[in-house]
Amino acid sequence: VVEIDTLINAYPISDAFIANDVTGIQDSTYLYLGNAVACRSILMYDLDGLFQSYGVGIHSAEVILHADTTSEYNIDVINGAFTLGMVDTTWKQDPANAPIGFGVSVVLGYYDREEATLTLNLNDMVYDWIRNPGTNQGFMIKSFDEYLNISRTVFYGINAPDSLRPQLRIIYVENDS
């Protein structure tokens, strides 16, 4: 048996953002994460058909968001964030009132100021989505110090060019028997 590492890059099929205060946020094609005004973002990826045969396991699954450092809506930068699974897809119509699931372990991701990226580990979540596709309702990204200071970072959404869109990178082992 030969094990082969396989890389899959996926782009989200849906995105949304939630803000307690939308003052100064005019462009809904971006995603926002912030403190004090509690800006949060939600993404969903379609993994159906990406794994013809699910092999040994996932080496890594991470989502990468690229910040728009030139946006006039930035207020300083966030320090980092974590993800929470969504209970259903009602967030597509009403993001502010969609129920959040708390069953997935929280893994912190830190904002890289030099690269202007936020990378979040989704190993457990993606593994669950592959095993139980019905559990993939998307996920929320939330700043881990939401109430600490005033800051907001603007990230590119699904309408950006491929090189800037949120990207899910999955490296997994496939059995080649």
Side-chain angles (χ1 to χ4, degrees), residues 32-96:
Y32 302 85
L33 291 175
N35 302 334
V37 292
C39 294
R40 302 168 180 174
S41 293
I42 306 173
L43 293 169
M44 184 173 188
Y45 291 84
D46 182 6
L47 302 182
D48 288 346
L50 291 181
F51 301 92
Q52 294 185 9
S53 63
Y54 183 64
V56 175
I58 293 175
H59 284 290
S60 71
E62 59 188 18
V63 67
I64 302 164
L65 277 71
H66 298 273
D68 179 357
T69 57
T70 64
S71 174
E72 64 185 294
Y73 304 122
N74 284 315
I75 303 171
D76 197 9
V77 294
I78 62 165
N79 293 316
F82 63 93
T83 59
L84 297 165
M86 302 303 290
V87 172
D88 58 34
T89 57
T90 58
W91 61 267
K92 292 179 182 182
Q93 291 78 37
D94 187 12

Short mmCIF file of all heavy atoms in Angstrom, two decimals, residues 32-96:
data_model
loop_
_atom_site.label_atom_id
_atom_site.label_comp_id
_atom_site.label_asym_id
_atom_site.label_seq_id
_atom_site.Cartn_x
_atom_site.Cartn_y
_atom_site.Cartn_z
N TYR A 32 -15.53 41.14 7.37
CA TYR A 32 -15.00 42.01 8.42
C TYR A 32 -14.84 41.23 9.71
O TYR A 32 -15.72 40.44 10.08
CB TYR A 32 -15.96 43.18 8.66
CG TYR A 32 -16.21 44.02 7.43
CD1 TYR A 32 -17.19 43.67 6.51
CD2 TYR A 32 -15.44 45.15 7.18
CE1 TYR A 32 -17.41 44.43 5.37
CE2 TYR A 32 -15.66 45.92 6.04
CZ TYR A 32 -16.64 45.55 5.14
OH TYR A 32 -16.86 46.30 4.01
N LEU A 33 -13.73 41.43 10.39
CA LEU A 33 -13.52 40.90 11.73
C LEU A 33 -13.08 42.07 12.58
O LEU A 33 -12.22 42.86 12.18
CB LEU A 33 -12.44 39.82 11.75
CG LEU A 33 -12.78 38.51 11.05
CD1 LEU A 33 -11.58 37.58 11.04
CD2 LEU A 33 -13.96 37.84 11.72
N GLY A 34 -13.68 42.18 13.77
CA GLY A 34 -13.32 43.33 14.58
C GLY A 34 -13.64 43.20 16.03
O GLY A 34 -14.36 42.29 16.46
N ASN A 35 -13.10 44.13 16.77
CA ASN A 35 -13.28 44.22 18.21
C ASN A 35 -14.09 45.46 18.53
O ASN A 35 -14.11 46.41 17.76
CB ASN A 35 -11.93 44.30 18.91
CG ASN A 35 -11.06 43.11 18.59
OD1 ASN A 35 -11.56 42.04 18.28
ND2 ASN A 35 -9.76 43.29 18.67
N ALA A 36 -14.73 45.45 19.68
CA ALA A 36 -15.57 46.53 20.21
C ALA A 36 -16.90 46.63 19.46
O ALA A 36 -17.93 46.77 20.08
CB ALA A 36 -14.84 47.86 20.21
N VAL A 37 -16.90 46.52 18.14
CA VAL A 37 -18.14 46.53 17.38
C VAL A 37 -18.55 45.12 16.96
O VAL A 37 -19.53 44.94 16.27
CB VAL A 37 -18.05 47.45 16.14
CG1 VAL A 37 -17.95 48.89 16.55
CG2 VAL A 37 -16.90 47.05 15.25
N ALA A 38 -17.81 44.13 17.40
CA ALA A 38 -18.12 42.71 17.17
C ALA A 38 -18.45 42.39 15.72
O ALA A 38 -19.55 41.97 15.40
CB ALA A 38 -19.24 42.26 18.09
N CYS A 39 -17.51 42.60 14.84
CA CYS A 39 -17.66 42.19 13.45
C CYS A 39 -17.23 40.73 13.34
O CYS A 39 -16.15 40.36 13.79
CB CYS A 39 -16.77 43.01 12.53
SG CYS A 39 -17.21 44.74 12.43
N ARG A 40 -18.08 39.91 12.75
CA ARG A 40 -17.81 38.48 12.57
C ARG A 40 -18.12 38.10 11.13
O ARG A 40 -18.95 38.73 10.49
CB ARG A 40 -18.69 37.66 13.52
CG ARG A 40 -18.48 38.03 14.97
CD ARG A 40 -19.52 37.44 15.85
NE ARG A 40 -19.28 37.81 17.24
CZ ARG A 40 -20.10 37.52 18.21
NH1 ARG A 40 -21.21 36.86 17.97
NH2 ARG A 40 -19.82 37.89 19.43
N SER A 41 -17.46 37.06 10.65
CA SER A 41 -17.68 36.60 9.27
C SER A 41 -18.07 35.14 9.26
O SER A 41 -17.69 34.38 10.16
CB SER A 41 -16.42 36.80 8.43
OG SER A 41 -16.17 38.19 8.27
N ILE A 42 -18.83 34.74 8.24
CA ILE A 42 -19.29 33.36 8.09
C ILE A 42 -18.94 32.89 6.68
O ILE A 42 -19.12 33.63 5.71
CB ILE A 42 -20.81 33.24 8.32
CG1 ILE A 42 -21.20 33.84 9.67
CG2 ILE A 42 -21.24 31.78 8.24
CD1 ILE A 42 -22.70 33.92 9.90
N LEU A 43 -18.42 31.67 6.59
CA LEU A 43 -18.07 31.07 5.30
C LEU A 43 -18.64 29.67 5.20
O LEU A 43 -18.85 29.00 6.22
CB LEU A 43 -16.55 30.96 5.15
CG LEU A 43 -15.75 32.25 5.04
CD1 LEU A 43 -14.27 31.96 5.17
CD2 LEU A 43 -16.05 32.93 3.72
N MET A 44 -18.85 29.21 3.97
CA MET A 44 -19.27 27.83 3.73
C MET A 44 -18.56 27.31 2.48
O MET A 44 -18.49 28.01 1.46
CB MET A 44 -20.77 27.72 3.54
CG MET A 44 -21.25 26.31 3.37
SD MET A 44 -23.06 26.25 3.37
CE MET A 44 -23.30 24.49 3.42
N TYR A 45 -18.03 26.10 2.60
CA TYR A 45 -17.36 25.42 1.49
C TYR A 45 -18.14 24.17 1.14
O TYR A 45 -18.64 23.48 2.03
CB TYR A 45 -15.93 25.03 1.89
CG TYR A 45 -15.02 26.20 2.05
CD1 TYR A 45 -14.97 26.92 3.24
CD2 TYR A 45 -14.21 26.61 1.01
CE1 TYR A 45 -14.13 28.01 3.39
CE2 TYR A 45 -13.37 27.71 1.14
CZ TYR A 45 -13.34 28.40 2.34
OH TYR A 45 -12.51 29.48 2.47
N ASP A 46 -18.23 23.86 -0.15
CA ASP A 46 -18.88 22.64 -0.61
C ASP A 46 -17.80 21.59 -0.86
O ASP A 46 -16.98 21.74 -1.77
CB ASP A 46 -19.66 22.91 -1.88
CG ASP A 46 -20.39 21.69 -2.40
OD1 ASP A 46 -20.40 20.64 -1.72
OD2 ASP A 46 -20.95 21.79 -3.51
N LEU A 47 -17.78 20.53 -0.05
CA LEU A 47 -16.78 19.47 -0.21
C LEU A 47 -17.32 18.26 -0.94
O LEU A 47 -16.58 17.29 -1.16
CB LEU A 47 -16.25 19.05 1.17
CG LEU A 47 -15.62 20.16 2.01
CD1 LEU A 47 -15.08 19.58 3.31
CD2 LEU A 47 -14.54 20.88 1.26
N ASP A 48 -18.59 18.29 -1.34
CA ASP A 48 -19.18 17.15 -2.04
C ASP A 48 -18.39 16.85 -3.32
O ASP A 48 -18.13 17.73 -4.12
CB ASP A 48 -20.64 17.42 -2.42
CG ASP A 48 -21.56 17.40 -1.21
OD1 ASP A 48 -21.13 16.93 -0.14
OD2 ASP A 48 -22.70 17.89 -1.34
N GLY A 49 -18.01 15.60 -3.48
CA GLY A 49 -17.31 15.15 -4.66
C GLY A 49 -15.81 15.41 -4.68
O GLY A 49 -15.13 14.99 -5.60
N LEU A 50 -15.29 16.12 -3.68
CA LEU A 50 -13.86 16.38 -3.65
C LEU A 50 -13.05 15.16 -3.22
O LEU A 50 -11.89 15.03 -3.59
CB LEU A 50 -13.53 17.54 -2.70
CG LEU A 50 -14.00 18.92 -3.14
CD1 LEU A 50 -13.58 19.96 -2.11
CD2 LEU A 50 -13.43 19.29 -4.50
N PHE A 51 -13.66 14.30 -2.45
CA PHE A 51 -12.96 13.12 -1.93
C PHE A 51 -13.62 11.88 -2.51
O PHE A 51 -14.63 11.42 -2.00
CB PHE A 51 -13.02 13.08 -0.40
CG PHE A 51 -12.40 14.29 0.22
CD1 PHE A 51 -13.16 15.40 0.54
CD2 PHE A 51 -11.04 14.33 0.48
CE1 PHE A 51 -12.59 16.51 1.11
CE2 PHE A 51 -10.46 15.44 1.05
CZ PHE A 51 -11.24 16.53 1.37
N GLN A 52 -13.03 11.34 -3.59
CA GLN A 52 -13.61 10.16 -4.21
C GLN A 52 -13.52 8.97 -3.28
O GLN A 52 -14.44 8.17 -3.19
CB GLN A 52 -12.93 9.87 -5.54
CG GLN A 52 -13.22 10.96 -6.54
CD GLN A 52 -12.66 10.66 -7.91
OE1 GLN A 52 -12.19 9.56 -8.18
NE2 GLN A 52 -12.71 11.64 -8.79
N SER A 53 -12.41 8.84 -2.62
CA SER A 53 -12.30 7.81 -1.58
C SER A 53 -11.55 8.44 -0.44
O SER A 53 -10.43 8.95 -0.61
CB SER A 53 -11.53 6.59 -2.10
OG SER A 53 -10.21 6.94 -2.43
N TYR A 54 -12.17 8.50 0.70
CA TYR A 54 -11.50 9.12 1.84
C TYR A 54 -10.54 8.11 2.43
O TYR A 54 -10.91 7.05 2.89
CB TYR A 54 -12.52 9.60 2.87
CG TYR A 54 -11.85 10.30 4.01
CD1 TYR A 54 -11.17 11.49 3.79
CD2 TYR A 54 -11.84 9.74 5.26
CE1 TYR A 54 -10.53 12.12 4.82
CE2 TYR A 54 -11.18 10.37 6.31
CZ TYR A 54 -10.54 11.56 6.07
OH TYR A 54 -9.89 12.19 7.09
N GLY A 55 -9.26 8.43 2.38
CA GLY A 55 -8.21 7.51 2.81
C GLY A 55 -7.92 7.57 4.29
O GLY A 55 -8.82 7.62 5.11
N VAL A 56 -6.65 7.57 4.62
CA VAL A 56 -6.19 7.44 5.99
C VAL A 56 -6.59 8.63 6.87
O VAL A 56 -7.03 8.45 7.98
CB VAL A 56 -4.66 7.23 6.02
CG1 VAL A 56 -4.14 7.22 7.43
CG2 VAL A 56 -4.30 5.95 5.29
N GLY A 57 -6.39 9.83 6.41
CA GLY A 57 -6.75 10.97 7.24
C GLY A 57 -6.24 12.30 6.72
O GLY A 57 -5.51 12.37 5.74
N ILE A 58 -6.63 13.32 7.43
CA ILE A 58 -6.27 14.68 7.06
C ILE A 58 -4.97 15.06 7.77
O ILE A 58 -4.86 14.90 8.97
CB ILE A 58 -7.39 15.65 7.47
CG1 ILE A 58 -8.63 15.38 6.63
CG2 ILE A 58 -6.94 17.09 7.34
CD1 ILE A 58 -9.81 16.20 7.05
N HIS A 59 -4.01 15.53 6.98
CA HIS A 59 -2.80 16.08 7.58
C HIS A 59 -3.06 17.49 8.07
O HIS A 59 -2.64 17.87 9.16
CB HIS A 59 -1.64 16.10 6.58
CG HIS A 59 -1.02 14.77 6.34
ND1 HIS A 59 -0.27 14.13 7.28
CD2 HIS A 59 -1.06 13.96 5.27
CE1 HIS A 59 0.15 12.98 6.79
NE2 HIS A 59 -0.34 12.85 5.57
N SER A 60 -3.73 18.28 7.25
CA SER A 60 -4.08 19.63 7.68
C SER A 60 -5.24 20.15 6.85
O SER A 60 -5.41 19.78 5.68
CB SER A 60 -2.89 20.58 7.56
OG SER A 60 -2.59 20.85 6.21
N ALA A 61 -6.02 20.97 7.49
CA ALA A 61 -7.11 21.69 6.82
C ALA A 61 -7.12 23.08 7.43
O ALA A 61 -7.26 23.23 8.64
CB ALA A 61 -8.45 20.99 7.04
N GLU A 62 -6.91 24.06 6.58
CA GLU A 62 -6.85 25.42 7.10
C GLU A 62 -7.50 26.38 6.12
O GLU A 62 -7.48 26.16 4.91
CB GLU A 62 -5.41 25.85 7.38
CG GLU A 62 -4.50 25.81 6.18
CD GLU A 62 -3.04 26.04 6.51
OE1 GLU A 62 -2.64 25.89 7.68
OE2 GLU A 62 -2.28 26.37 5.58
N VAL A 63 -8.12 27.40 6.68
CA VAL A 63 -8.69 28.45 5.85
C VAL A 63 -7.76 29.65 5.97
O VAL A 63 -7.24 29.96 7.04
CB VAL A 63 -10.15 28.79 6.25
CG1 VAL A 63 -10.23 29.42 7.62
CG2 VAL A 63 -10.80 29.68 5.21
N ILE A 64 -7.54 30.30 4.82
CA ILE A 64 -6.65 31.45 4.76
C ILE A 64 -7.46 32.64 4.23
O ILE A 64 -8.07 32.57 3.16
CB ILE A 64 -5.45 31.18 3.84
CG1 ILE A 64 -4.69 29.96 4.33
CG2 ILE A 64 -4.55 32.41 3.74
CD1 ILE A 64 -3.74 29.37 3.31
N LEU A 65 -7.47 33.71 5.01
CA LEU A 65 -8.12 34.95 4.61
C LEU A 65 -7.05 36.00 4.34
O LEU A 65 -6.08 36.13 5.10
CB LEU A 65 -9.05 35.47 5.70
CG LEU A 65 -10.44 34.86 5.77
CD1 LEU A 65 -10.39 33.45 6.27
CD2 LEU A 65 -11.32 35.70 6.67
N HIS A 66 -7.24 36.76 3.25
CA HIS A 66 -6.30 37.83 2.88
C HIS A 66 -6.92 39.17 3.20
O HIS A 66 -8.05 39.46 2.79
CB HIS A 66 -5.99 37.77 1.38
CG HIS A 66 -5.32 36.50 0.97
ND1 HIS A 66 -3.96 36.33 1.03
CD2 HIS A 66 -5.81 35.32 0.54
CE1 HIS A 66 -3.64 35.11 0.64
NE2 HIS A 66 -4.76 34.47 0.33
N ALA A 67 -6.19 39.98 3.94
CA ALA A 67 -6.69 41.30 4.33
C ALA A 67 -6.50 42.30 3.19
O ALA A 67 -5.52 42.23 2.44
CB ALA A 67 -5.96 41.79 5.57
N ASP A 68 -7.44 43.22 3.09
CA ASP A 68 -7.29 44.35 2.19
C ASP A 68 -6.70 45.48 3.01
O ASP A 68 -7.42 46.24 3.67
CB ASP A 68 -8.64 44.75 1.60
CG ASP A 68 -8.54 45.95 0.67
OD1 ASP A 68 -7.44 46.51 0.53
OD2 ASP A 68 -9.58 46.34 0.11
N THR A 69 -5.39 45.59 3.00
CA THR A 69 -4.71 46.57 3.86
C THR A 69 -4.92 48.01 3.40
O THR A 69 -4.61 48.93 4.14
CB THR A 69 -3.19 46.27 3.91
OG1 THR A 69 -2.67 46.29 2.58
CG2 THR A 69 -2.93 44.91 4.56
N THR A 70 -5.47 48.20 2.20
CA THR A 70 -5.70 49.55 1.69
C THR A 70 -7.12 50.03 1.97
O THR A 70 -7.44 51.18 1.67
CB THR A 70 -5.44 49.62 0.17
OG1 THR A 70 -6.38 48.77 -0.50
CG2 THR A 70 -4.02 49.18 -0.16
N SER A 71 -7.97 49.20 2.54
CA SER A 71 -9.36 49.57 2.75
C SER A 71 -9.48 50.71 3.76
O SER A 71 -8.85 50.71 4.82
CB SER A 71 -10.17 48.38 3.27
OG SER A 71 -11.48 48.79 3.61
N GLU A 72 -10.34 51.66 3.44
CA GLU A 72 -10.60 52.78 4.35
C GLU A 72 -11.40 52.33 5.59
O GLU A 72 -11.51 53.08 6.55
CB GLU A 72 -11.37 53.87 3.61
CG GLU A 72 -12.76 53.42 3.15
CD GLU A 72 -13.46 54.47 2.32
OE1 GLU A 72 -13.80 55.54 2.85
OE2 GLU A 72 -13.68 54.18 1.12
N TYR A 73 -11.92 51.10 5.57
CA TYR A 73 -12.73 50.61 6.69
C TYR A 73 -11.89 49.90 7.76
O TYR A 73 -12.42 49.48 8.78
CB TYR A 73 -13.82 49.67 6.18
CG TYR A 73 -14.70 50.32 5.14
CD1 TYR A 73 -14.83 49.77 3.88
CD2 TYR A 73 -15.39 51.50 5.42
CE1 TYR A 73 -15.63 50.37 2.91
CE2 TYR A 73 -16.17 52.11 4.46
CZ TYR A 73 -16.30 51.55 3.21
OH TYR A 73 -17.08 52.15 2.26
N ASN A 74 -10.59 49.77 7.54
CA ASN A 74 -9.71 49.19 8.56
C ASN A 74 -9.57 50.16 9.72
O ASN A 74 -9.46 51.37 9.53
CB ASN A 74 -8.32 48.90 7.99
CG ASN A 74 -8.29 47.66 7.13
OD1 ASN A 74 -8.85 46.64 7.48
ND2 ASN A 74 -7.64 47.76 5.98
N ILE A 75 -9.57 49.60 10.93
CA ILE A 75 -9.27 50.36 12.14
C ILE A 75 -8.23 49.52 12.87
O ILE A 75 -8.57 48.50 13.49
CB ILE A 75 -10.52 50.54 13.04
CG1 ILE A 75 -11.65 51.22 12.29
CG2 ILE A 75 -10.14 51.30 14.31
CD1 ILE A 75 -12.97 51.23 13.04
N ASP A 76 -6.96 49.91 12.75
CA ASP A 76 -5.88 49.10 13.30
C ASP A 76 -6.02 47.69 12.70
O ASP A 76 -6.44 47.54 11.57
CB ASP A 76 -5.92 49.09 14.83
CG ASP A 76 -4.61 48.63 15.45
OD1 ASP A 76 -3.61 48.48 14.72
OD2 ASP A 76 -4.58 48.41 16.67
N VAL A 77 -5.65 46.64 13.43
CA VAL A 77 -5.83 45.25 12.96
C VAL A 77 -6.20 44.38 14.15
O VAL A 77 -5.89 44.68 15.29
CB VAL A 77 -4.56 44.67 12.28
CG1 VAL A 77 -4.26 45.38 10.99
CG2 VAL A 77 -3.38 44.69 13.21
N ILE A 78 -6.87 43.27 13.86
CA ILE A 78 -7.17 42.31 14.91
C ILE A 78 -5.92 41.50 15.21
O ILE A 78 -5.01 41.44 14.41
CB ILE A 78 -8.33 41.36 14.51
CG1 ILE A 78 -7.95 40.53 13.28
CG2 ILE A 78 -9.61 42.13 14.30
CD1 ILE A 78 -8.84 39.35 13.05
N ASN A 79 -5.88 40.89 16.38
CA ASN A 79 -4.73 40.04 16.74
C ASN A 79 -4.88 38.62 16.22
O ASN A 79 -3.91 37.96 15.89
CB ASN A 79 -4.55 40.01 18.26
CG ASN A 79 -4.13 41.36 18.78
OD1 ASN A 79 -3.26 42.00 18.21
ND2 ASN A 79 -4.75 41.81 19.85
N GLY A 80 -6.11 38.12 16.18
CA GLY A 80 -6.35 36.76 15.74
C GLY A 80 -7.81 36.40 15.88
O GLY A 80 -8.64 37.25 16.21
N ALA A 81 -8.13 35.14 15.62
CA ALA A 81 -9.53 34.73 15.61
C ALA A 81 -9.66 33.24 15.88
O ALA A 81 -8.66 32.53 15.97
CB ALA A 81 -10.15 35.07 14.26
N PHE A 82 -10.90 32.78 15.99
CA PHE A 82 -11.20 31.36 16.09
C PHE A 82 -12.49 31.08 15.35
O PHE A 82 -13.19 32.01 14.93
CB PHE A 82 -11.26 30.89 17.56
CG PHE A 82 -12.35 31.53 18.38
CD1 PHE A 82 -13.59 30.92 18.50
CD2 PHE A 82 -12.12 32.72 19.04
CE1 PHE A 82 -14.59 31.49 19.27
CE2 PHE A 82 -13.12 33.30 19.81
CZ PHE A 82 -14.36 32.67 19.93
N THR A 83 -12.80 29.81 15.15
CA THR A 83 -13.99 29.43 14.38
C THR A 83 -15.01 28.71 15.25
O THR A 83 -14.66 28.06 16.23
CB THR A 83 -13.62 28.50 13.21
OG1 THR A 83 -13.00 27.33 13.73
CG2 THR A 83 -12.69 29.19 12.23
N LEU A 84 -16.26 28.83 14.86
CA LEU A 84 -17.37 28.12 15.48
C LEU A 84 -18.26 27.58 14.36
O LEU A 84 -18.56 28.30 13.41
CB LEU A 84 -18.20 29.06 16.36
CG LEU A 84 -17.49 29.68 17.56
CD1 LEU A 84 -18.29 30.85 18.11
CD2 LEU A 84 -17.26 28.64 18.63
N GLY A 85 -18.68 26.33 14.46
CA GLY A 85 -19.55 25.75 13.45
C GLY A 85 -20.95 26.34 13.52
O GLY A 85 -21.42 26.74 14.58
N MET A 86 -21.61 26.41 12.39
CA MET A 86 -22.99 26.89 12.34
C MET A 86 -23.94 25.70 12.45
O MET A 86 -23.63 24.60 11.97
CB MET A 86 -23.23 27.66 11.05
CG MET A 86 -22.29 28.85 10.84
SD MET A 86 -22.31 30.07 12.17
CE MET A 86 -23.93 30.79 11.96
N VAL A 87 -25.11 25.92 13.06
CA VAL A 87 -26.09 24.86 13.27
C VAL A 87 -26.88 24.57 12.00
O VAL A 87 -27.24 23.43 11.73
CB VAL A 87 -27.04 25.24 14.43
CG1 VAL A 87 -28.19 24.26 14.56
CG2 VAL A 87 -26.26 25.33 15.73
N ASP A 88 -27.16 25.61 11.23
CA ASP A 88 -27.91 25.44 9.98
C ASP A 88 -27.47 26.53 9.01
O ASP A 88 -26.55 27.29 9.30
CB ASP A 88 -29.42 25.46 10.23
CG ASP A 88 -29.90 26.74 10.92
OD1 ASP A 88 -29.33 27.82 10.65
OD2 ASP A 88 -30.84 26.67 11.72
N THR A 89 -28.13 26.62 7.87
CA THR A 89 -27.73 27.61 6.87
C THR A 89 -28.66 28.83 6.83
O THR A 89 -28.65 29.58 5.86
CB THR A 89 -27.66 26.97 5.47
OG1 THR A 89 -28.93 26.40 5.15
CG2 THR A 89 -26.57 25.93 5.40
N THR A 90 -29.43 29.06 7.89
CA THR A 90 -30.28 30.25 7.93
C THR A 90 -29.44 31.53 7.89
O THR A 90 -29.95 32.59 7.57
CB THR A 90 -31.19 30.26 9.17
OG1 THR A 90 -30.37 30.19 10.36
CG2 THR A 90 -32.18 29.11 9.15
N TRP A 91 -28.14 31.41 8.21
CA TRP A 91 -27.26 32.58 8.18
C TRP A 91 -27.17 33.19 6.78
O TRP A 91 -26.85 34.37 6.64
CB TRP A 91 -25.87 32.24 8.70
CG TRP A 91 -25.12 31.20 7.94
CD1 TRP A 91 -25.09 29.86 8.19
CD2 TRP A 91 -24.28 31.41 6.80
NE1 TRP A 91 -24.28 29.22 7.28
CE2 TRP A 91 -23.77 30.15 6.41
CE3 TRP A 91 -23.90 32.53 6.07
CZ2 TRP A 91 -22.91 29.99 5.33
CZ3 TRP A 91 -23.04 32.38 4.99
CH2 TRP A 91 -22.56 31.11 4.64
N LYS A 92 -27.47 32.41 5.74
CA LYS A 92 -27.40 32.94 4.38
C LYS A 92 -28.45 34.03 4.15
O LYS A 92 -28.24 34.96 3.39
CB LYS A 92 -27.57 31.83 3.35
CG LYS A 92 -26.40 30.86 3.33
CD LYS A 92 -26.62 29.77 2.31
CE LYS A 92 -25.50 28.77 2.30
NZ LYS A 92 -25.70 27.73 1.27
N GLN A 93 -29.60 33.91 4.83
CA GLN A 93 -30.66 34.90 4.72
C GLN A 93 -30.62 35.91 5.86
O GLN A 93 -30.96 37.08 5.69
CB GLN A 93 -32.05 34.23 4.73
CG GLN A 93 -32.37 33.42 3.50
CD GLN A 93 -31.69 32.06 3.48
OE1 GLN A 93 -31.54 31.42 4.52
NE2 GLN A 93 -31.23 31.64 2.32
N ASP A 94 -30.24 35.46 7.06
CA ASP A 94 -30.29 36.31 8.25
C ASP A 94 -29.06 36.04 9.14
O ASP A 94 -29.16 35.39 10.17
CB ASP A 94 -31.58 36.03 9.03
CG ASP A 94 -31.79 36.97 10.19
OD1 ASP A 94 -31.08 37.98 10.29
OD2 ASP A 94 -32.67 36.67 11.03
N PRO A 95 -27.89 36.53 8.72
CA PRO A 95 -26.66 36.19 9.44
C PRO A 95 -26.67 36.56 10.91
O PRO A 95 -26.16 35.82 11.75
CB PRO A 95 -25.58 36.99 8.70
CG PRO A 95 -26.15 37.33 7.38
CD PRO A 95 -27.64 37.38 7.57
N ALA A 96 -27.26 37.67 11.26
CA ALA A 96 -27.20 38.14 12.65
C ALA A 96 -27.95 37.24 13.63
O ALA A 96 -27.64 37.23 14.82
CB ALA A 96 -27.75 39.56 12.74
#
